[in-house]
Amino acid sequence: MAGYGPPDPLSRETIRSMVAAVRPDWTVRVVEPCERGSDVLYFLTVGADEGSREVVLKYCRFADASGFLTEPRVLSLVASETGVPVPEVEAVVDEH
């Protein structure tokens, strides 16, 4: 298990597989690791039916993933129940 904070590099193939598991209609074109913060993040440019778009891949490497999974669920709830602008959550995977 990696230490706290970036970097914790994933291979390009692993990133492509993770994206394909939740969005098989997307093609990963660009992968840029984010070197800041406590979570492992990748900025991706993906090709989709509607053209290119930029997204963030965030993955948990901690022992307690339940706390980590709270954020995307709260963002989705805020987006669906209020007019507060929040980042769109495209997919959440409970287990790797």
Side-chain angles (χ1 to χ4, degrees):
M1 184 163 123
Y4 182 80
D8 189 6
L10 295 174
S11 71
R12 299 298 193 250
E13 185 55 38
T14 297
I15 291 170
R16 286 184 179 95
S17 294
M18 291 170 80
V19 171
V22 294
R23 295 303 301 252
D25 54 319
W26 287 1
T27 302
V28 177
R29 295 184 176 158
V30 178
V31 176
E32 294 180 35
C34 177
E35 300 295 330
R36 301 180 315 238
S38 61
D39 298 315
V40 178
L41 302 171
Y42 289 88
F43 300 111
L44 309 178
T45 302
V46 298
D49 292 339
E50 65 274 3
S52 289
R53 59 188 300 188
E54 294 181 6
V55 298
V56 175
L57 171 70
K58 181 176 183 179
Y59 88 100
C60 177
R61 61 177 167 200
F62 304 111
D64 179 19
S66 62
F68 182 86
L69 294 171
T70 301
E71 179 186 18
R73 291 192 171 99
V74 168
L75 288 173
S76 294
L77 181 65
V78 170
S80 68
E81 300 294 327
T82 75
V84 176
V86 295
E88 182 179 353
V89 176
E90 292 291 342
V92 176
V93 178
D94 289 332
E95 295 181 25
H96 295 286

